[in-house]
Amino acid sequence: MRRVQGPIAAAILWTWCGAVQAGYIITDLGVLPGGVSSTAYGINDAGAVVGSTSFSGGAGQRAFVYAGGVMNDLGTLPGDTSSVAIDINDAGQVVGVSSNGSVASAFLYTPGSGFTNLGALPGGATSRAEGINDAGQVVGGATTGSAQHAFLYSGGVMTDLGTLPGDVSSVANDINDAGQIVGASTGSSTHAFLYSSGTGMMDLGTLTGSGVSVANALNNAGDVVGYSSSASGPAHAFLYSGGVMTDLGTLAGGTASLAWDINASGDIVGYSVGGGGSRAFLYTGGVMTDLNDLLAPSSGWTLNEARAINSSGQIVGTGVYNGQTHAFLLTPEAIVVPEPSSLALMGLGMAGVAGQRLRRRLRRRSSENRQTGT
């Protein structure tokens, strides 16, 4: 299922305060040494982030895990030159794709054990892992020779999930802890599907009754998000819940949108496209909000895309900072500053140089929030 701040802010237990709108602390995840840009794709409930750093000169990408304020290079499968980490579960297992330039292979990375090449389906040579649940079950897409099919990798075995009736190809994008799987199946058109053991693959339809839909993620309640479009119209983000597909719309002035992830509380993240380009959004309580509006005006960031959200409301994605495309982590904050006694209980005493810096930081952020009304 699709899921750090500096050490001081990560340790402070910020709380929501009445009807006062809360914003976010933003962390620039940076790049691996020598990298030119980075993208975040997943986050788990411990706040560990996965993604990739890109290098110039055709040097490809390298998968990373960001935890404890440090971006760590995961490397690649043996003999490969490029890798991307796409999802991480609460045990710290990571899935993604590793390539040697001609053949791409789905991988599972387990802390302490390293990489496992998940292989491919019979008749095929390539694969890509898209999602993992807390039981370590992996889903993605793999070639079968002439087409790509959605797969489930469980217990060391890759199983072909097939397609919707009459279709020729499919891909699985996410799996929840109940083993439900979502993705898309393609024939004369492309439709989102929900796969459950015992009932197989169910067509979720589209927003308009015709056209295209793709399911990107689901939570443990079985709520599904993705995007859908008519044959000629722009795509809109959707929520599929209780057998009904709901159009989430766009940000004000937007023309299209896409939902990437949903957490246990039903909060949804993605991006909306308009005249000003791509803007990351949070959809909660029936309202779509531009995440850029929840940052301090002095942040210097433009958040283009939100890719994943965990149960604590931490959000990861990609934006532009000082002219560079970097992965970001958003951590919810409130305008309430913890009392000194609370800080001491958390091991953050207010004495000494560190305490003086912390007091200044908290006062400055509280002042910014009062000035901006957040």
Side-chain angles (χ1 to χ4, degrees), residues 53-195:
T53 283
S54 295
F55 299 86
S56 62
Q61 303 177 76
R62 291 298 283 266
F64 72 74
V65 174
Y66 181 96
V70 178
M71 180 180 285
N72 298 292
D73 187 340
L74 277 187
T76 67
L77 288 171
D80 285 354
T81 57
S82 186
S83 60
V84 177
I86 300 171
D87 199 13
I88 181 171
N89 67 10
D90 287 344
Q93 293 178 297
V94 180
V95 295
V97 61
S98 180
S99 172
N100 60 15
S102 58
V103 176
S105 301
F107 72 75
L108 168 65
Y109 179 92
T110 301
S113 300
F115 280 91
T116 299
N117 187 335
L118 303 191
L121 291 170
T126 66
S127 58
R128 177 183 172 99
E130 300 284 352
I132 184 171
N133 65 11
D134 285 343
Q137 295 176 302
V138 182
V139 295
T143 55
T144 61
S146 60
Q148 174 180 267
H149 279 190
F151 72 77
L152 167 65
Y153 182 91
S154 182
V157 178
M158 181 180 286
T159 301
D160 188 337
L161 298 183
T163 68
L164 289 171
D167 286 352
V168 295
S169 66
S170 61
V171 62
N173 290 325
D174 199 15
I175 181 171
N176 67 12
D177 289 339
Q180 293 177 299
I181 300 166
V182 294
S185 179
T186 300
S188 58
S189 184
T190 297
H191 278 198
F193 71 75
L194 172 64
Y195 180 96

